[in-house]
Amino acid sequence: MERDPGLDRTALTAFTAGFGGRVILPGDPDYDQARVVWNAIFDRYPACIARCGDVQDVVTALRFAREQELPIAVRGGGHSAAGFSTCDGGLVLDLRPIQAVAVDTSASTAYVGAGAHLGQLDEATQAVGLACPVGVIGHTGVAGLTLGGGLGRLQRRYGLTIDNLVGVELVTADGQQVRANENENVELFWGVRGAGANFGIVTSFRFRVHPVGPAVVQGVLVYPLEQAHEMAGLFCDLMAAAPDELMMSLEFRIATRYPPYSPAMAGRPVVLMEVTYCGPVERSDRYLRSLRSTRPLLDTVRPRSYLAVQTRRDEMLTWGHRFYMKNAFFPAITDEIVDLCANRICDAPGNCSVGFMAQGGAIARVAEDATAFTGREAAFWCGVETVWDEPARDDAHIQWGRATMAALKPFTSPGQYVNDVIEAGEGIARGIYGDLKYQRLVNLKQAWDPGNVFRLNHNINPAPG
Ligand SMILES: Cc1cc2nc3c(=O)[nH]c(=O)nc-3n(C[C@H](O)[C@H](O)[C@H](O)COP(=O)(O)OP(=O)(O)OC[C@H]3O[C@@H](n4cnc5c(N)ncnc54)[C@H](O)[C@@H]3O)c2cc1C
């Protein structure tokens, strides 16, 4: 269905004439393709999509949207689970064409344009034996992931993505181009690292990068659900004593039809551990020996190229599915939690999972108040996730996700990972950051975006009630 965008034609003509990128409008042949975002639940019809090729385009599109009083959805990789990078009747400021990645080996940094996805950063850095810690699916956008925090397979060794952020360049609500880093606009730099969608349009990032690979030891071990307690105990013991190079997650899930599961396993509730060891390959055995003797149904752990690891699950979580999730941090994984997760997985309506990622290591060595991101002191981050295709099944999957996290709630610690929160509202944003940080973010929002131009996000309200 197409809708009349109701734009002022004279203003639109003037904007298009002065804009170096592409303006895509309803009725254009590629409008339907251009308005799609990763989570198929969000089927929105923007009045205008402004594909920006450079910083000047960003300034021009922002000015047009403000003059026309259009809501602005900023789009990097389009993976917002909450659908924030699209809107009905507003302007999508689409950064996809700004994709340059350049690695400076002498400074061990990488410059990344705001439209790049993780796979592009991984490829450019691995070409010279380096990596920046980023997320686990290659088609996710660098921009949104970084501005919220950035969890991933290298996090215990090198920290969150924001812990490796040297600085950003951004366009502010009033169209100024500014930098934020440890020396310039220091408070803004604090807020950008965890609440970064609120203060401006980031056009580029500079990251610290580190020697990684080319091979890491990675894979999954899959067990019948009956072994859940044994595996959860082993997971917690291993992580309590692990070197930073060892990263693991524990997941309760319904086996899918995708590898590594065999067709015979599809639909069966299982517990699995994902292992990534990014230290010298020959040393991995000393840490993984105890896992090898646990009688898994499946063991795919072996040396692999880091680049291949980073795209292994891309197809399973490809564009176009419907998706819902809840997340929280946990100080421990108790027997009660294991029972609860096992029961919830047995009641799952389809492709559902409850996964715990180990934190600690480099994440825990950064002070909790050093960035806006909240939750780094917790031992585990947990995501309750569900993926499906038929709109008629929305309620069943969303209700399962909500009920599962509601049951886990009594065991959680403060904060939530902003990038994995779908429901929105002032109370929710306050809960993500906690009262103290929320107030600090309100002060920052009042300084940089008092009119709340950037509000399609987990919004920091500049005039809280
Ligand atoms: C399949 C999948 C896998 C994921 N895996 C991980 C993971 O391993 N680790 C992890 O930490 N997270 C992960 N996430 C969550 C991910 O970090 C968020 O969805 C993130 O917001 C995606 O960024 P994006 O640029 O693709 O999204 P977009 O939808 O483009 O943007 C997300 C938010 O950021 C804002 N934004 C985007 N670009 C800019 C910019 N340049 N300036 C200002 N604001 C901007 C948008 O307005 C929106 O509010 C995953 C998500 C998906 C869907």
Side-chain angles (χ1 to χ4, degrees), residues 38 74-81 84-85 95 114 135-137 139-141 143-145 147 150-151 196-197 200-202 317 417 419-420 456-457:
W38 180 85
V74 181
R75 178 194 169 119
H79 278 53
S80 162
F84 287 138
S85 46
L95 301 164
V136 301
I137 304 288
H139 44 72
T140 313
L145 177 127
L147 297 174
L151 313 176
I201 302 163
V202 175
L317 283 169
Y417 179 31
N419 278 354
D420 289 334
L456 294 181
N457 46 39

Side-chain angles (χ1 to χ4, degrees), residues 2 7 23 53 78 98 111 139 142 187 240 262 280 286-287 296 312 314 317 334 364 368 377 387 389 412 441-442 459:
E2 252 164 46
L7 293 175
V23 175
I98 307 179
Y111 166 95
H139 44 72
V142 171
E187 183 67 2
S262 62
R286 72 175 76 161
Y287 306 112
R312 283 192 79 191
D314 283 14
L317 283 169
T334 61
E368 173 61 47
E377 287 172 349
V387 184
D389 288 321
T412 60
L441 289 166
V442 168
N459 195 228

Side-chain angles (χ1 to χ4, degrees), residues 64-318:
F64 170 70
R66 291 204 61 179
E67 282 166 4
Q68 298 304 307
E69 298 181 352
L70 295 170
I72 298 168
V74 181
R75 178 194 169 119
H79 278 53
S80 162
F84 287 138
S85 46
T86 185
C87 58
D88 280 324
L91 180 133
V92 172
L93 206 146
D94 186 348
L95 301 164
R96 264 177 288 186
I98 307 179
Q99 293 201 336
V101 178
V103 183
D104 179 345
T105 47
S106 61
S108 294
T109 60
Y111 166 95
V112 185
H117 53 78
L118 305 187
Q120 290 169 300
L121 174 55
D122 282 335
E123 272 177 32
T125 48
Q126 277 291 276
V128 288
L130 301 169
C132 178
V134 290
V136 301
I137 304 288
H139 44 72
T140 313
V142 171
L145 177 127
T146 303
L147 297 174
L151 313 176
R153 295 186 176 100
L154 301 178
Q155 64 182 22
R156 286 173 42 81
R157 176 70 182 90
Y158 293 119
L160 303 171
T161 308
I162 47 168
D163 299 336
N164 296 278
L165 188 60
V166 177
V168 295
E169 294 178 317
L170 74 163
V171 174
T172 61
D174 56 5
Q176 285 180 66
Q177 296 172 43
V178 303
R179 284 194 291 259
N181 52 49
E182 291 291 2
N183 302 309
E184 295 167 279
N185 297 308
V186 174
E187 183 67 2
L188 177 60
F189 189 48
W190 175 85
V192 158
R193 289 173 290 167
N198 267 278
F199 307 111
I201 302 163
V202 175
T203 52
S204 70
F205 300 82
R206 187 170 292 280
F207 296 105
R208 268 183 294 280
V209 290
H210 311 272
V212 172
V216 296
V217 176
Q218 193 271 350
V220 295
L221 298 123
V222 181
Y223 304 87
L225 199 59
E226 293 70 32
Q227 278 178 251
H229 279 281
E230 182 194 345
M231 292 309 120
L234 185 55
F235 169 68
C236 293
D237 290 349
L238 273 169
M239 283 295 96
D244 294 351
E245 289 80 3
L246 182 60
M247 169 65 194
M248 287 175 60
S249 50
L250 173 80
E251 194 170 304
F252 301 78
R253 74 151 31 257
I254 300 294
T256 66
R257 61 191 167 83
Y258 294 96
Y261 310 103
S262 62
M265 287 171 82
R268 178 174 171 180
V270 292
V271 59
L272 69 93
M273 284 195 254
E274 180 179 339
V275 172
T276 306
Y277 178 76
C278 67
V281 167
E282 63 282 3
R283 267 195 226 156
S284 64
D285 262 357
R286 72 175 76 161
Y287 306 112
L288 302 180
R289 203 171 298 129
S290 54
L291 286 172
R292 302 285 189 193
S293 56
T294 49
R295 305 173 319 288
L297 296 171
L298 205 66
D299 175 355
T300 70
V301 179
R302 60 178 169 79
R304 305 164 186 279
S305 106
Y306 176 69
L307 264 188
V309 166
Q310 282 293 89
T311 51
R312 283 192 79 191
R313 291 175 60 208
D314 283 14
E315 197 196 332
M316 184 176 158
L317 283 169
T318 192

